[in-house]
Amino acid sequence: MEEPHIINTDENLLKVGSDEIAIKDFKSVFYQLTAKPDTTTRVFSRDVLVELEDIFLLNDRIIEKLRSYPEAGFLINVVVKFTNGKNKSFASWRAFSEHRWYESEAISNLVITWEFNAVLAQYKIPQKHTLTVKISNSMRPEELLSIIFSGNMEELDDLDKDFFPVVARVDFIDRILGDELLNIVAEWSKSLRDSSIERSPFILLMKKNKAKILTFLNFFTNILIMVASIVVINRYISTLEIVTLGEMSCNQMLAVINSMFICGAIWIFAQKFVSVLTDKIFEKLREYGQTCIFNITKGDKNRQQSLQKREKSSKIAVIANVSFTIFIDIISTVITTVLFKN
């Protein structure tokens, strides 16, 4: 008996329905005329060193991926911002690759944009995809939120860098292509060398928790100084041999009043002194960890050397000021303990 003919329906799982095609085609036209496509952003926080060859390598990988898709238009735009506020814009990759990097200024950030109209088999109209990669010496969380919610990377100014030297954003119609492009940037970021500027893990840990540490240090030091001053004043008053308040002589009363004023003055002076000391530590910690991730222009190389020296001086300053604060705490504790026992 002849077996019934089995129809393979698995291939239908790969097909896009006519209604979905129509919606996607309309969506593409609508986005091209009026709005933006869907957006995905990915950040990379590792402190890296980026050279010109790395930029070329990233472009080669992106182009290699895009070559697997027929295209109906392809543009590359590169914008370079320097630390002096000047910008250089390159309307094509050729213009960027032929530029001689003799600038004496260091690069602040570099933004590369690939605009690609992908011709996908299941859609009649080419689908525009835009990949934007920003490499920056300075990216703080506020900027990241601006990227995520506004999607406007070009408007970001370099502010206070701690976190995200590489940020990639893809605007897409086809999610598969968008994810593939972001994965290429992720793999590229992993291949970059670590920053050449040496940093102390301990100081970086203090920097990360600087507000909590310095608030505690300020409060604890002031408490110890207040307790030590009270113990000293009490010890002094006890030497006056005052039996009762009614039997106090004029000199004894003046001595008590003066000691109270001196104690108050010590508290006020100590509070301001410790505040200045912790503020100095805070400022040094805030400055610590600055980096120059670019190694392209002459200015980049000079900046790396300058930051390396600054890192050492900031480290010494932080350790010295913290040690001095701890020394004050120890002295206050010793005074309190010795006088209290006696």
Side-chain angles (χ1 to χ4, degrees):
M1 182 177 179
E2 185 178 353
E3 294 183 1
H5 180 65
I6 299 176
I7 300 176
N8 184 4
T9 59
D10 291 345
E11 62 183 13
N12 292 330
L13 297 176
L14 301 177
K15 294 182 180 180
V16 179
S18 59
D19 292 341
E20 186 177 352
I21 290 176
I23 292 173
K24 286 288 187 178
D25 288 344
F26 177 79
K27 184 179 179 181
S28 177
V29 173
F30 174 74
Y31 279 147
Q32 289 179 14
L33 295 178
T34 60
K36 292 182 179 181
D38 296 329
T39 299
T40 299
T41 302
R42 193 178 298 180
V43 298
F44 309 94
S45 58
R46 189 167 68 91
D47 204 357
V48 295
L49 182 67
V50 178
E51 303 191 55
L52 195 59
E53 292 78 7
D54 298 317
I55 305 296
F56 291 151
L57 177 60
L58 175 61
N59 183 63
D60 290 342
R61 291 183 179 179
I62 296 298
I63 289 178
E64 182 180 0
K65 171 54 64 178
L66 295 180
R67 277 178 182 156
S68 61
Y69 292 86
E71 54 90 12
F74 179 49
L75 295 172
I76 302 177
N77 178 263
V78 183
V79 177
V80 180
K81 182 176 181 180
F82 296 92
T83 53
N84 61 356
K86 293 183 179 180
N87 295 330
K88 279 188 179 294
S89 181
F90 302 92
S92 68
W93 185 257
R94 180 177 180 180
F96 175 77
S97 61
E98 292 179 351
H99 181 72
R100 300 291 186 91
W101 297 94
Y102 294 144
E103 287 81 3
S104 59
E105 289 293 330
I107 296 175
S108 174
N109 61 64
L110 184 148
V111 180
I112 312 174
T113 304
W114 293 267
E115 293 182 296
F116 180 72
N117 270 347
V119 179
L120 304 174
Q122 65 269 43
Y123 305 122
K124 296 179 181 179
I125 300 175
Q127 309 295 313
K128 182 180 179 181
H129 295 74
T130 302
L131 172 66
T132 306
V133 175
K134 178 169 183 177
I135 310 167
S136 176
N137 280 323
S138 49
M139 181 71 66
R140 67 181 187 177
E142 293 90 321
E143 293 181 306
L144 178 62
L145 292 176
S146 176
I147 292 173
I148 294 174
F149 292 111
S150 72
N152 202 342
M153 299 177 74
E154 291 75 17
E155 293 183 356
L156 300 179
D157 295 325
D158 56 327
L159 296 172
D160 201 289
K161 192 268 171 195
D162 284 337
F163 301 98
F164 313 113
V166 179
V167 179
R169 188 193 74 227
V170 63
D171 305 328
F172 62 90
I173 298 295
D174 183 72
R175 177 171 289 277
I176 294 177
L177 177 55
D179 289 342
E180 288 176 341
L181 294 174
L182 286 180
N183 289 335
I184 290 174
V185 179
E187 291 301 319
W188 172 80
S189 178
K190 291 179 183 178
S191 69
L192 296 174
R193 289 192 296 158
D194 291 331
S195 174
S196 59
I197 301 176
E198 297 180 0
R199 297 180 180 85
S200 167
F202 176 71
I203 302 297
L204 289 176
L205 181 62
M206 288 187 61
K207 175 184 176 70
K208 185 177 180 180
N209 301 281
K210 57 182 178 293
K212 295 178 182 179
I213 292 174
L214 295 178
T215 298
F216 171 78
L217 197 61
N218 192 324
F219 178 79
F220 186 69
T221 303
N222 277 296
I223 290 296
L224 289 179
I225 292 175
M226 289 176 64
V227 171
S229 63
I230 291 173
V231 172
V232 171
I233 294 300
N234 287 341
R235 183 71 175 179
Y236 169 70
I237 293 177
S238 65
T239 62
L240 298 178
E241 298 180 352
I242 301 174
V243 179
T244 62
L245 293 177
E247 295 179 359
M248 289 176 56
S249 66
C250 182
N251 290 334
Q252 289 176 328
M253 182 176 295
L254 289 175
V256 171
I257 294 174
N258 291 338
S259 63
M260 293 176 62
F261 274 105
I262 291 174
C263 187
I266 291 174
W267 293 353
I268 295 173
F269 173 78
Q271 185 177 15
K272 291 185 177 181
F273 178 77
V274 174
S275 178
V276 170
L277 195 60
T278 52
D279 285 347
K280 186 180 295 185
I281 298 173
F282 186 92
E283 184 64 23
K284 290 297 180 180
L285 287 175
R286 190 185 67 83
E287 293 177 354
Y288 191 83
Q290 291 186 4
T291 186
C292 179
I293 68 174
F294 295 102
N295 190 31
I296 297 177
T297 68
K298 292 183 177 180
D300 293 333
K301 297 175 176 61
N302 293 334
R303 180 174 170 81
Q304 287 188 36
Q305 295 177 356
S306 175
L307 286 177
Q308 186 68 56
K309 294 178 180 178
R310 186 189 299 179
E311 292 294 303
K312 292 180 180 179
S313 62
S314 296
K315 178 181 177 180
I316 294 173
V318 169
I319 294 175
N321 287 321
V322 171
S323 299
F324 184 64
T325 306
I326 295 175
F327 175 75
I328 294 175
D329 296 341
I330 295 173
I331 293 298
S332 301
T333 304
V334 170
I335 292 174
T336 302
T337 303
V338 172
L339 293 181
F340 190 77
K341 288 182 178 181
N342 295 332

